[in-house]
Amino acid sequence: MGLQGKRVLVGISGGIAAYKTLFLIRLLKKEGAEVRCVCTPSALQFVTPLSLSTLSGNAVYSDMFSPVNQTATAHISYADWGDILVVAPATANTLGKFALGIADNALTTLYTAFTKPVLVAPAMNTNMYRNPAVEANMESLRKRGVRFVEAEIGPLACGCAGQGRMAEPETILAETAALFDNTSASAFWREKKVLLTAGPTQEAIDPVRYISNHSTGLMGASLSDVLTERGAQVYLVCGPMKNQPAREPYRRISVTSAAEMYRESLALWSGMDMGILSAAVADYRPKTACGQKIKKHEAETMLELVKTDDILASLGRSKKPHQFLAGFALETENETANAAEKLHRKNADLIVLNSMRDAGAGFGTATNKVSFLDKTGQIVTGECKGKGAVAADILDYIENLICVQSLTHPA
Ligand code: CTP
């Protein structure tokens, strides 16, 4: 399972699910991991230091100011020691402190000092789990790269039923192992440098108005997540997206306008192995953006628009033989002919085509349906699926295309 010799910090906060953490520690030890436990004061109301130290084989860190066996900087030495921090159970209180950077006990202080992967398994009453503040805290932790083992649905300690049960120790063990396991990072994608553009752009008319489109960035966020999961180094150049990647990409450059996206993308391109341009870039921008808010004077007015620079076409022009370039096309008519024209005009290797005529495809939907058009002239149409699954299909298609190309045209 890949846990042999790994140093796992098991963080425990105060919930009845802490009894299941004893099984998790046993499982981790059985897989060959070294385990040290770090507890909040409330955790010790549910499990004893004796059980934890007996099962883990190490002293328990729970008292930041114990004069006996700790130093004042124990949280730092624990943070240095661990390869991963697995917090199970993670209560609403502890998640809130993590999200806000509050460091007031051994576990929250350790978390704040910890720079390596963190996996949390929340456990709480279902109303607490669905509380908007708790959800917002979990979301902000996700955005910072914290991985979650979602709570399960079932009977809860309070007597009611719903989502809130801590995941089973076997599930948490498998998720812990997956974070170390290189098989989730495929050999093809590992270390590949991928420029990914995503989201809409906004073209200023004046300080309070802009031209934009309906892109929410969900397709781009899904691509970023699947690329990261597969081990790629994602350079995400993104406009103002409503949907964010669940995992922090390798590097993220936030932009607003097409001109900024163009500048940032071109600066990165020569160092990239691949470009996937999923952004819905504005094709036109106001010729001048007024410094002051435009006041209304007459019944009609004119806005002079000029074309923005085409990022995909510019990258296509400077594309080196080892670089792969994929663009997107959103069409409402003559889909295949328009996509084929774009493929050639912009010198892309692949166009991922969305048709606005397909139900469940396009902006703002959780699903998408795409067709693939490459230089061989073949067109392959996928099923309507969740955008995460479509992102995986797009990457599979690219991988397959590159592998076939390298077989037919070996370097
Ligand atoms: N694109 C880009 N820079 C632009 C405009 C588009 O990089 N200024 C990219 C998009 O990210 C997408 C592809 O080009 O990958 C297709 O965009 P689309 O707007 O559909 O194509 P256009 O060439 O602008 O054609 P049209 O709007 O006429 O359909």
Side-chain angles (χ1 to χ4, degrees):
M1 209 179 225
L3 284 169
Q4 185 66 41
K6 294 286 186 277
R7 294 166 163 186
V8 181
L9 286 164
V10 174
I12 307 166
S13 56
I16 184 60
Y19 83 91
K20 293 208 263 185
T21 309
L22 300 176
F23 293 92
L24 174 65
I25 296 164
R26 275 195 61 194
L27 293 173
L28 286 164
K29 294 286 290 179
K30 225 171 118 191
E31 292 298 329
E34 283 184 62
V35 177
R36 287 190 189 179
C37 296
V38 184
C39 295
T40 66
S42 315
L44 298 181
Q45 301 290 327
F46 295 93
V47 283
T48 68
L50 186 62
S51 322
L52 295 169
S53 58
T54 306
L55 289 169
S56 67
N58 282 306
V60 175
Y61 176 42
S62 61
D63 182 355
M64 289 177 72
F65 305 107
S66 160
V68 187
N69 52 8
Q70 309 289 356
T71 65
T73 55
H75 57 293
I76 306 294
S77 52
Y78 269 69
D80 289 343
W81 179 85
D83 297 318
I84 188 172
L85 171 63
V86 181
V87 185
T91 58
N93 183 42
T94 290
L95 288 171
K97 288 177 181 174
F98 284 178
L100 293 173
I102 295 172
D104 64 344
N105 62 42
L107 178 56
T108 52
T109 310
L110 168 73
Y111 170 82
T112 316
F114 198 69
T115 55
K116 287 163 269 182
V118 178
L119 182 70
V120 298
M124 64 197 81
N125 161 275
T126 191
N127 291 338
M128 293 173 76
Y129 198 66
R130 289 282 153 248
N131 179 291
V134 176
E135 282 186 330
N137 286 337
M138 293 199 284
E139 193 47 34
S140 83
L141 290 171
R142 271 194 198 95
K143 279 186 197 152
R144 290 182 213 146
V146 172
R147 303 295 300 266
F148 277 72
V149 193
E150 291 297 333
E152 293 176 359
I153 299 170
L156 301 171
C158 56
C160 58
Q163 189 171 16
R165 278 169 68 92
M166 189 175 87
E168 292 307 313
E170 290 78 5
T171 312
I172 302 171
L173 177 80
E175 291 289 324
T176 307
L179 285 180
F180 289 112
D181 195 355
N182 280 339
T183 54
S184 66
S186 81
F188 178 85
W189 291 99
R190 195 176 309 135
E191 312 280 300
K192 274 227 156 58
K193 289 184 163 56
V194 181
L195 166 67
L196 174 65
T197 67
T201 63
Q202 293 176 352
E203 311 305 321
I205 298 171
D206 65 20
V208 295
R209 305 180 181 95
Y210 57 80
I211 299 175
S212 191
N213 55 63
H214 292 299
S215 167
T216 63
L218 182 57
M219 194 63 242
S222 305
L223 280 163
S224 177
D225 281 337
V226 181
L227 280 163
T228 302
E229 255 155 45
R230 293 189 182 187
Q233 291 180 358
V234 182
Y235 291 72
L236 176 65
V237 180
C238 55
M241 313 203 286
K242 287 198 184 80
N243 292 290
Q244 301 298 327
R247 301 187 61 179
E248 203 43 42
Y250 183 77
R251 216 182 128 199
R252 177 197 184 100
I253 301 118
S254 296
V255 299
T256 305
S257 66
E260 288 165 356
M261 189 175 278
Y262 178 84
R263 201 173 48 240
E264 297 296 342
S265 302
L266 254 78
L268 288 168
W269 180 229
S270 62
M272 296 291 119
D273 298 305
M274 188 181 296
I276 303 179
L277 274 59
S278 71
V281 188
D283 288 329
Y284 291 91
R285 64 169 172 83
K287 189 172 182 185
T288 47
C290 283
Q292 305 301 327
K293 186 183 170 200
I294 303 170
K295 303 300 285 180
K296 53 182 172 299
H297 297 295
E298 293 147 23
E300 286 180 11
T301 188
M302 295 284 285
L303 191 60
E304 200 178 345
L305 301 178
V306 292
K307 274 185 94 168
T308 57
D309 288 317
D310 192 314
I311 306 165
L312 181 61
S314 296
L315 301 191
R317 277 194 293 277
S318 60
K319 182 159 67 86
K320 301 276 178 316
H322 74 276
Q323 290 179 310
F324 184 95
L325 187 58
F328 278 66
L330 177 62
E331 306 290 345
T332 55
E333 57 181 353
N334 302 325
E335 288 90 343
T336 313
N338 285 340
E341 186 274 328
K342 258 170 221 174
L343 181 83
H344 293 292
R345 177 164 50 89
K346 302 194 186 197
N347 193 27
D349 299 291
L350 175 69
I351 290 287
V352 181
L353 168 64
N354 288 287
S355 169
M356 288 293 274
R357 288 198 283 190
D358 284 326
F363 292 142
T365 56
T367 55
N368 203 1
K369 181 176 175 183
V370 297
S371 300
F372 299 99
L373 189 84
D374 61 49
K375 283 182 171 164
T376 63
Q378 71 165 344
I379 179 142
V380 177
T381 301
E383 304 285 316
C384 180
K385 298 178 182 180
K387 284 188 172 162
V390 172
D393 286 352
I394 292 170
L395 301 189
D396 289 345
Y397 195 93
I398 291 174
E399 181 176 344
N400 193 39
L401 203 60
I402 292 176
C403 292
V404 170
Q405 276 170 5
S406 65
L407 285 177
T408 43
H409 307 288

